Amino acid sequence: MKAYVYLENGIFLNAKAFGASGTFLGELVFNTSLTGYQEIISDPSYAGQFIVFSMPEIGIVGTNDDDNESEEIFASGIVIRELNNYFSNFRAKESLQTYLKKHNKIGIYDIDTRFLVKMIRDNGNLRAIISTEISNKEELKEKLNLSAKFDQINFVKNVSTKKIYSHKNGAWNHNTKKFNPSQKNSKKLAVIDYGVKKNILNELVEVGFEVDVFPYNTKAKDLIALYEQKKIHGVFLSNGPGEPKILKDEILEIKKLVKAKIPILGICLGHQLLSNAFGYETYKMKFGQHGANHPVLNLENKKIEITAQNHNYNVPEELCEVAIITHRNLFGDNVEGVRYKDYPIISVQHHPESSSGPHESKYIFKEFMNLM
């Protein structure tokens, strides 16, 4: 299929499409990972975005049933240079094209992704419209101009679970590694699902947590009651998509959890929401940080960790007034992790669950267990 691309800066491009047909809107971001495209595509934190892969050839390992980070794809679509529809991997069940079509998402290829990555790098993230139906530039421009701005959309309510459930699978071998209720020193953890990745849940189980996942709009009073009854021992604030500052109700509930001195771990969006709950507003980065190869300096042991990243927003330097800065990103010197001074709370911007990505930061889950 032919595809037509219009960007908010006026650039109009032609490409070829695979997967679903139709007209799709989103924000254009680039990802520098060399592997793990299925985990990236299925990460709920990409809701409302087109993922531009800087890796030039995508598709060779196909897709499988185990590597999805969520049951649905919430990203608007993907943009790649070269599609390899022949897949060759012993775990593969279907091609990338079949995978996207099944989830009703578009992919486009035969487009200069290096040009797009450099443009995003220089100009920042761009809103885009991609269509297999509309070829007229002015019509595409009008539809894009009439669409909601990315920073004004609450994506969290769409990606979060609608009901409480227990997660028992551990890391990697999903069929055999499960939570054992008789496991010594286990702790019960309430996970607030703002768009949580399955592999985060797996790693929490792996270190010994008994995990229950709650909807994004769970009230703090209900969690505080569970904590006082020792039915939970802490709260995890998950990753997720979109502008954190518009989640005013969620921030208000987090403030109540903080006041109750409940142990909390935040990752990515959870990290940002904690900053806002303490009164330190997050800000939008020029083009965000998306990839599995970002060096982060652990300021406590002076070691460099190679991390997976996926965020457009960050916490301010002024957060050091209430928290000790524990990690810094060496690509931009921005704050990557904190430990709050007067509360049992730690949070990080990067993804220590390591899928897709390295393993150097997985200790954070054990650190949270020890904090409890």
Side-chain angles (χ1 to χ4, degrees), residues 348-363:
V348 292
Q349 183 58 72
H350 50 279
H351 284 264
E353 74 280 0
S354 74
S355 183
S356 62
H359 299 260
E360 286 97 323
S361 297
K362 288 170 71 171
Y363 66 85

Side-chain angles (χ1 to χ4, degrees), residues 51-330:
I51 308 164
V52 181
F53 285 95
S54 62
M55 180 66 176
E57 186 169 324
I58 298 290
I60 190 63
V61 296
T63 61
N64 60 64
D65 297 331
D66 293 327
D67 289 348
N68 287 321
E69 294 288 7
S70 62
E71 296 300 324
E72 298 180 49
I73 297 176
F74 296 100
S76 297
I78 67 172
V79 181
I80 63 178
R81 179 69 184 92
E82 185 77 20
L83 172 65
N84 196 321
N85 213 30
Y86 170 81
F87 59 91
S88 177
N89 185 280
F90 73 100
R91 297 174 66 235
K93 300 295 184 184
E94 61 190 8
S95 69
L96 177 59
Q97 174 162 285
T98 302
Y99 176 73
L100 287 182
K101 193 166 187 178
K102 181 171 69 176
H103 289 279
N104 195 33
K105 298 296 178 178
I106 193 171
I108 62 171
Y109 69 105
D110 199 18
I111 191 168
D112 189 347
T113 51
R114 183 173 175 82
F115 164 74
L116 291 175
V117 168
K118 290 171 71 176
M119 181 171 59
I120 296 168
R121 181 195 66 190
D122 294 340
N123 301 318
N125 294 342
L126 295 165
R127 294 168 64 230
I129 181 169
I130 299 176
S131 179
T132 60
E133 308 165 315
I134 305 169
S135 60
N136 183 273
K137 176 181 175 181
E138 293 304 316
E139 188 176 348
L140 290 170
K141 178 181 179 180
E142 183 180 6
K143 280 188 174 295
L144 182 62
N145 289 340
L146 291 174
S147 66
K149 298 288 193 297
F150 179 84
D151 296 347
Q152 299 170 347
I153 302 173
N154 184 343
F155 294 102
V156 166
K157 64 182 180 182
N158 296 324
V159 304
S160 178
T161 182
K162 302 299 185 288
K163 59 183 179 180
I164 301 170
Y165 68 92
S166 296
H167 183 89
K168 299 183 183 297
N169 289 334
W172 187 244
N173 192 335
H174 304 289
N175 296 319
T176 61
K177 185 69 176 180
K178 293 181 180 291
F179 173 75
N180 182 355
S182 65
Q183 190 171 348
K184 291 182 179 180
N185 302 319
S186 66
K187 298 290 185 182
K188 296 179 181 179
L189 187 65
V191 172
I192 308 303
D193 178 13
Y194 302 123
V196 70
K197 295 168 64 177
K198 281 187 179 180
N199 209 47
I200 288 179
L201 300 178
N202 293 342
E203 293 293 345
L204 289 169
V205 171
E206 192 75 10
V207 298
F209 286 110
E210 185 176 352
V211 174
D212 287 330
V213 184
F214 290 75
Y216 76 102
N217 56 356
T218 299
K219 297 300 182 184
K221 64 180 178 62
D222 297 329
L223 295 173
I224 293 169
L226 292 173
Y227 180 69
E228 291 173 344
Q229 298 163 20
K230 298 191 182 327
K231 292 183 178 179
I232 63 170
H233 298 96
V235 173
F236 174 78
L237 306 178
S238 84
N239 63 293
E243 162 66 81
K245 285 188 292 190
I246 70 170
L247 303 176
K248 298 186 184 303
D249 292 340
E250 291 78 0
I251 292 170
L252 183 61
E253 297 303 316
I254 292 171
K255 284 182 179 180
K256 297 174 184 177
L257 295 175
V258 169
K259 187 177 180 180
K261 292 290 182 84
I262 296 177
I264 298 174
L265 169 62
I267 287 179
C268 202
L269 179 61
H271 167 73
Q272 298 160 10
L273 290 174
L274 276 166
S275 178
N276 282 300
F278 273 89
Y280 295 85
E281 289 194 353
T282 47
Y283 63 93
K284 188 168 187 178
M285 306 176 76
K286 185 176 180 180
F287 50 81
Q289 293 170 327
H290 312 272
N293 48 9
H294 288 234
V296 165
L297 177 62
N298 184 320
L299 297 173
E300 298 185 321
N301 61 22
K302 305 304 180 185
K303 291 183 178 180
I304 293 174
E305 303 163 11
I306 304 302
T307 68
Q309 305 263 350
N310 178 22
H311 61 107
N312 291 322
Y313 302 88
N314 216 338
V315 303
E317 290 291 331
E318 291 77 15
L319 191 58
C320 68
E321 295 172 0
V322 294
I324 298 167
I325 297 175
T326 57
H327 299 78
R328 281 197 177 276
N329 189 303
L330 296 182

